[in-house]
mmCIF file of all heavy atoms in Angstrom:
data_model
loop_
_atom_site.group_PDB
_atom_site.id
_atom_site.type_symbol
_atom_site.label_atom_id
_atom_site.label_comp_id
_atom_site.label_asym_id
_atom_site.label_seq_id
_atom_site.Cartn_x
_atom_site.Cartn_y
_atom_site.Cartn_z
ATOM 1 N N GLU A 630 -14.848 3.005 -2.604
ATOM 2 C CA GLU A 630 -16.199 2.892 -3.175
ATOM 3 C C GLU A 630 -16.613 4.335 -3.520
ATOM 4 O O GLU A 630 -16.070 5.278 -2.977
ATOM 5 C CB GLU A 630 -17.164 2.286 -2.221
ATOM 6 C CG GLU A 630 -17.257 3.006 -0.902
ATOM 7 C CD GLU A 630 -18.096 2.212 0.111
ATOM 8 O OE1 GLU A 630 -17.628 1.250 0.635
ATOM 9 O OE2 GLU A 630 -19.277 2.643 0.306
ATOM 10 N N PRO A 631 -17.640 4.506 -4.378
ATOM 11 C CA PRO A 631 -18.115 5.830 -4.669
ATOM 12 C C PRO A 631 -18.566 6.537 -3.382
ATOM 13 O O PRO A 631 -19.233 5.942 -2.549
ATOM 14 C CB PRO A 631 -19.315 5.589 -5.593
ATOM 15 C CG PRO A 631 -19.036 4.281 -6.226
ATOM 16 C CD PRO A 631 -18.322 3.476 -5.180
ATOM 17 N N ILE A 632 -18.123 7.773 -3.211
ATOM 18 C CA ILE A 632 -18.396 8.432 -1.924
ATOM 19 C C ILE A 632 -19.217 9.720 -2.065
ATOM 20 O O ILE A 632 -19.744 10.199 -1.102
ATOM 21 C CB ILE A 632 -17.082 8.770 -1.173
ATOM 22 C CG1 ILE A 632 -16.192 9.644 -2.032
ATOM 23 C CG2 ILE A 632 -16.350 7.462 -0.761
ATOM 24 C CD1 ILE A 632 -14.944 10.081 -1.336
ATOM 25 N N ASN A 633 -19.279 10.277 -3.267
ATOM 26 C CA ASN A 633 -19.960 11.561 -3.409
ATOM 27 C C ASN A 633 -21.385 11.516 -2.941
ATOM 28 O O ASN A 633 -21.921 12.431 -2.325
ATOM 29 C CB ASN A 633 -19.908 12.035 -4.847
ATOM 30 C CG ASN A 633 -18.579 12.749 -5.142
ATOM 31 O OD1 ASN A 633 -17.864 13.091 -4.245
ATOM 32 N ND2 ASN A 633 -18.266 12.872 -6.434
ATOM 33 N N ALA A 634 -22.064 10.404 -3.229
ATOM 34 C CA ALA A 634 -23.464 10.321 -2.867
ATOM 35 C C ALA A 634 -23.678 10.335 -1.406
ATOM 36 O O ALA A 634 -24.725 10.724 -0.857
ATOM 37 C CB ALA A 634 -24.101 9.038 -3.494
ATOM 38 N N ALA A 635 -22.676 9.869 -0.618
ATOM 39 C CA ALA A 635 -22.788 9.767 0.808
ATOM 40 C C ALA A 635 -22.071 10.908 1.537
ATOM 41 O O ALA A 635 -21.891 10.885 2.716
ATOM 42 C CB ALA A 635 -22.232 8.437 1.308
ATOM 43 N N SER A 636 -21.595 11.888 0.765
ATOM 44 C CA SER A 636 -20.865 12.963 1.370
ATOM 45 C C SER A 636 -21.688 13.812 2.265
ATOM 46 O O SER A 636 -22.898 13.989 2.060
ATOM 47 C CB SER A 636 -20.256 13.881 0.281
ATOM 48 O OG SER A 636 -19.340 13.130 -0.505
ATOM 49 N N PRO A 637 -21.110 14.429 3.310
ATOM 50 C CA PRO A 637 -21.834 15.272 4.198
ATOM 51 C C PRO A 637 -22.313 16.523 3.550
ATOM 52 O O PRO A 637 -21.776 16.935 2.509
ATOM 53 C CB PRO A 637 -20.814 15.592 5.308
ATOM 54 C CG PRO A 637 -19.521 15.428 4.665
ATOM 55 C CD PRO A 637 -19.711 14.357 3.649
ATOM 56 N N PRO A 638 -23.320 17.209 4.074
ATOM 57 C CA PRO A 638 -23.766 18.484 3.490
ATOM 58 C C PRO A 638 -22.611 19.457 3.446
ATOM 59 O O PRO A 638 -21.669 19.406 4.193
ATOM 60 C CB PRO A 638 -24.851 18.932 4.477
ATOM 61 C CG PRO A 638 -25.309 17.683 5.177
ATOM 62 C CD PRO A 638 -24.135 16.832 5.258
ATOM 63 N N ARG A 639 -22.766 20.457 2.578
ATOM 64 C CA ARG A 639 -21.707 21.400 2.306
ATOM 65 C C ARG A 639 -21.302 22.150 3.567
ATOM 66 O O ARG A 639 -20.150 22.583 3.703
ATOM 67 C CB ARG A 639 -22.214 22.387 1.238
ATOM 68 C CG ARG A 639 -21.222 23.388 0.721
ATOM 69 C CD ARG A 639 -21.871 23.971 -0.480
ATOM 70 N NE ARG A 639 -21.194 25.177 -0.951
ATOM 71 C CZ ARG A 639 -21.600 25.850 -2.007
ATOM 72 N NH1 ARG A 639 -22.617 25.447 -2.697
ATOM 73 N NH2 ARG A 639 -20.953 26.949 -2.429
ATOM 74 N N ASN A 640 -22.236 22.466 4.443
ATOM 75 C CA ASN A 640 -21.929 23.266 5.642
ATOM 76 C C ASN A 640 -21.416 22.455 6.805
ATOM 77 O O ASN A 640 -21.184 22.916 7.862
ATOM 78 C CB ASN A 640 -23.153 24.085 6.047
ATOM 79 C CG ASN A 640 -24.333 23.236 6.468
ATOM 80 O OD1 ASN A 640 -24.369 22.051 6.087
ATOM 81 N ND2 ASN A 640 -25.252 23.786 7.157
ATOM 82 N N VAL A 641 -21.315 21.095 6.617
ATOM 83 C CA VAL A 641 -20.826 20.223 7.648
ATOM 84 C C VAL A 641 -19.352 19.982 7.355
ATOM 85 O O VAL A 641 -18.997 19.159 6.535
ATOM 86 C CB VAL A 641 -21.573 18.882 7.750
ATOM 87 C CG1 VAL A 641 -20.992 17.993 8.806
ATOM 88 C CG2 VAL A 641 -23.048 19.144 8.022
ATOM 89 N N VAL A 642 -18.481 20.755 8.018
ATOM 90 C CA VAL A 642 -17.047 20.699 7.710
ATOM 91 C C VAL A 642 -16.301 19.799 8.727
ATOM 92 O O VAL A 642 -15.425 19.046 8.357
ATOM 93 C CB VAL A 642 -16.457 22.076 7.730
ATOM 94 C CG1 VAL A 642 -14.952 22.041 7.407
ATOM 95 C CG2 VAL A 642 -17.164 22.974 6.651
ATOM 96 N N PHE A 643 -16.630 19.873 10.022
ATOM 97 C CA PHE A 643 -15.897 19.217 11.025
ATOM 98 C C PHE A 643 -16.705 17.987 11.444
ATOM 99 O O PHE A 643 -17.661 18.119 12.199
ATOM 100 C CB PHE A 643 -15.669 20.104 12.210
ATOM 101 C CG PHE A 643 -15.190 21.494 11.807
ATOM 102 C CD1 PHE A 643 -15.915 22.623 12.150
ATOM 103 C CD2 PHE A 643 -14.088 21.653 11.005
ATOM 104 C CE1 PHE A 643 -15.540 23.886 11.776
ATOM 105 C CE2 PHE A 643 -13.688 22.918 10.582
ATOM 106 C CZ PHE A 643 -14.414 24.006 10.981
ATOM 107 N N SER A 644 -16.332 16.831 10.964
ATOM 108 C CA SER A 644 -17.098 15.631 11.331
ATOM 109 C C SER A 644 -16.204 14.407 11.164
ATOM 110 O O SER A 644 -15.243 14.447 10.398
ATOM 111 C CB SER A 644 -18.350 15.480 10.461
ATOM 112 O OG SER A 644 -17.992 15.261 9.106
ATOM 113 N N SER A 645 -16.539 13.351 11.838
ATOM 114 C CA SER A 645 -15.884 12.068 11.647
ATOM 115 C C SER A 645 -16.993 11.065 11.257
ATOM 116 O O SER A 645 -17.842 10.747 12.061
ATOM 117 C CB SER A 645 -15.184 11.633 12.956
ATOM 118 O OG SER A 645 -14.567 10.336 12.745
ATOM 119 N N SER A 646 -16.951 10.655 10.013
ATOM 120 C CA SER A 646 -18.092 9.842 9.493
ATOM 121 C C SER A 646 -17.544 8.612 8.824
ATOM 122 O O SER A 646 -16.365 8.503 8.495
ATOM 123 C CB SER A 646 -18.887 10.676 8.478
ATOM 124 O OG SER A 646 -18.129 10.921 7.334
#
Side-chain angles (χ1 to χ4, degrees):
E630 57 187 76
I632 59 176
N633 278 343
S636 296
R639 186 168 166 179
N640 62 341
V641 178
V642 179
F643 317 122
S644 66
S645 181
S646 68

